[in-house]
Amino acid sequence: MDKREQERDRRPRVVLGVSGGIAAYKACELLRRLTESGHDVRVVPTAAALHFVGEATWSALSGNPAGTEVWESVHEVPHVRIGQAADLVVVAPATADILAKAAHGLADDLLTNTLLTARCPVVFAPAMHTEMWEHPATQENVATVRRRGAIVVEPAVGRLTGADTGKGRFPDPVGIFALCRHILRRSDPAGGAAGALVPDLAGRHVVVTAGGTREPLDPVRYLGNRSSGRQGYALAATAAARGARVTLIAGNTELPDPAGVDVVPVGTARQLREAVLKAAADADAVVMAAAVADFRPAVYTAGKIKKIDGQEPEPIMLVRNPDILAELSADRARPGQVVVGFAAETDDVLANGRAKLARKGCDLLVVNEVGEHKAFGSAENEAVVLAADGTETPVPYGPKDALADRVWDLVVPRMAETRP
Ligand SMILES: Cc1cc2nc3c(=O)[nH]c(=O)nc-3n(C[C@H](O)[C@H](O)[C@H](O)COP(=O)(O)O)c2cc1C
């Protein structure tokens, strides 16, 4: 084997299954991102998928053959080998039909055979009309493949084929790509993760808050903070990659929606409170990563506050906002619900963190020091996770994804046995 072949051989092997939905063309973007980031991608389209995007496109973009049938290159037994060799199978878009076939173990083409022979993580990114998605047959098929360990990304809400709008839209390919990367990183023993990926949040509903609240002073001004939302988005994306149904309550962020996550946008602390209490009603865990304003202006001025020559401005009076973390911790919506808070501190970081954990009554508190290249706005973070049982887990400086995974590692064993 020459050097080039050896390098090719080391690349993570991804099977991109494409089934026959109108969103097949969006899978080209996913394919391009996967190949450009160093993955060896084998596209396995269904015959129906080729009505939408031809074999030449899949083959040219992937650099690999893109047959649909088990009868091509039979000497290589592709119906077995492709699945066996894969590090990840992602079916995007996944039709109602392919979900039904996967749930029932049918094997009438190359993609369905591959799904039966793969022992790596499998992701489905469904796209279909709302009626097809909501049909009990589809929902039962989704539940079946999830129960067996596959990750089924929730479809997005939005414009569908034709004039229709609703749930069933293909999730953003950039988000699916991020999910694939995350799963590959976690399931790679050489990458420091614990061997094969276990979707340990499958069947769980988790609520994550992210970003920062804005407390309006007048129609053009507000009191805000510097939270970008990146840590909360990392928590939501990693929970989805671990199989959870995720509600992300996002305050004033400019980040793309993570694939398969229900995003609820909010503005103020009081809106965030309302959204989080509603979503927490059936949640197994609530992670409060948002920077919620402690105070808001006592008075909202309906018209823009004017600068008047020779006159000093009126002082701004503040009032307290509700303490959502303390409220969630004291009034658990269901027994065994895990509540996690965040504390960004500048001085006496650990001492302040321990005091806050005791005061709030949450199960875990992620304490991080605000600093250059840490916490607000940065892609990296470093923290100590304090637990109500007294344990303290330091998480070294690294990507926010890694901290997010560490938080879920600590949440999972604390969750109630029963699911809502
Ligand atoms: C224009 C058009 C668009 C379609 N879009 C979808 C879709 O988005 N999702 C879906 O589940 N089926 C869709 N279908 C139906 C599937 O193509 C059909 O069920 C097919 O048998 C799926 O085969 P496959 O799962 O083997 O790819 C569409 C059909 C047509 C003609």
Side-chain angles (χ1 to χ4, degrees), residues 17 44 93 101:
V44 184
K101 285 178 171 170

Side-chain angles (χ1 to χ4, degrees), residues 249 272-282 324 327-328 331 333:
I249 296 166
L272 188 141
R273 175 180 175 274
E274 200 178 309
V276 82
L277 292 184
K278 187 169 168 217
D282 70 348
I324 309 169
E327 187 178 349
L328 280 167
D331 270 329

Side-chain angles (χ1 to χ4, degrees), residues 382-407:
E382 161 178 22
V384 179
V385 187
L386 308 179
D389 59 18
T391 54
E392 301 191 355
T393 310
V395 185
Y397 185 75
K400 286 185 170 171
D401 268 4
L403 173 58
D405 261 325
R406 205 64 198 96
V407 171

Side-chain angles (χ1 to χ4, degrees), residues 29 51 54 93 96 112 115-116 136 148 170 185 193 209 240 256-257 261 263 268 285 299 316 325 334 366 379 395 418:
E29 167 72 9
H51 284 289
T112 44
L115 286 169
L116 284 180
R148 295 190 193 130
F170 186 63
R185 216 171 30 242
T209 67
D257 293 354
V261 167
V263 181
T268 65
V299 178
I316 299 169
L325 181 58
R334 55 184 302 262
V366 184
V395 185
T418 52

Side-chain angles (χ1 to χ4, degrees), residues 19-22 46 48-49 52 95-98 101 127-128 132:
S19 52
I22 197 84
T46 62
F52 297 93
T95 55
D97 177 65
I98 200 77
K101 285 178 171 170
M128 64 198 73
M132 293 175 90

Side-chain angles (χ1 to χ4, degrees), residues 51-312:
H51 284 289
F52 297 93
V53 178
E55 184 183 349
T57 302
W58 302 121
S59 184
L61 285 179
S62 68
N64 279 317
T68 61
E69 298 304 325
V70 294
W71 309 114
E72 296 154 27
S73 308
V74 176
H75 63 288
E76 291 174 0
V77 274
H79 75 288
V80 186
R81 291 282 176 263
I82 296 173
Q84 282 177 335
D87 296 305
L88 174 75
V89 177
V90 50
V91 184
T95 55
D97 177 65
I98 200 77
L99 287 165
K101 285 178 171 170
H104 291 87
L106 299 192
D108 61 356
D109 65 3
L110 191 54
L111 180 55
T112 44
N113 275 272
T114 299
L115 286 169
L116 284 180
T117 51
R119 292 295 175 270
C120 58
V122 176
V123 176
F124 292 92
M128 64 198 73
H129 259 69
T130 312
E131 293 85 346
M132 293 175 90
W133 173 251
E134 288 180 347
H135 195 285
T138 305
Q139 287 301 307
E140 279 168 33
N141 292 330
V142 167
T144 300
V145 296
R146 277 186 174 149
R147 202 179 54 249
R148 295 190 193 130
I151 289 168
V152 184
V153 175
E154 284 291 309
V157 176
R159 184 78 191 266
L160 306 168
T161 316
D164 295 340
T165 300
K167 186 157 184 171
R169 190 177 158 84
F170 186 63
D172 181 8
V174 178
I176 301 173
F177 170 68
L179 180 74
C180 292
R181 290 283 291 237
H182 184 77
I183 292 171
L184 282 166
R185 216 171 30 242
R186 250 176 63 76
S187 59
D188 173 12
L197 179 100
V198 183
D200 51 4
L201 288 171
R204 301 291 192 176
H205 177 211
V206 303
V207 178
V208 178
T209 67
T213 62
R214 288 181 182 170
E215 309 300 320
L217 187 59
D218 69 14
V220 293
R221 302 182 182 95
Y222 58 82
L223 290 183
N225 60 63
R226 297 176 53 208
S227 174
S228 64
R230 291 169 92 154
Q231 185 61 66
Y233 275 59
L235 281 153
T238 50
R242 295 167 78 141
R245 175 163 74 85
V246 185
T247 306
L248 173 63
I249 296 166
N252 309 295
T253 62
E254 288 175 6
L255 301 168
D257 293 354
V261 167
D262 280 333
V263 181
V264 182
V266 292
T268 65
R270 285 179 294 173
Q271 287 167 356
L272 188 141
R273 175 180 175 274
E274 200 178 309
V276 82
L277 292 184
K278 187 169 168 217
D282 70 348
D284 294 281
V286 184
V287 181
M288 291 283 294
V292 183
D294 291 325
F295 313 108
R296 66 178 185 277
V299 178
Y300 173 75
T301 309
K304 185 182 171 193
I305 301 169
K306 291 291 197 196
K307 183 169 67 180
I308 302 172
D309 283 345
Q311 205 173 306
E312 286 303 310

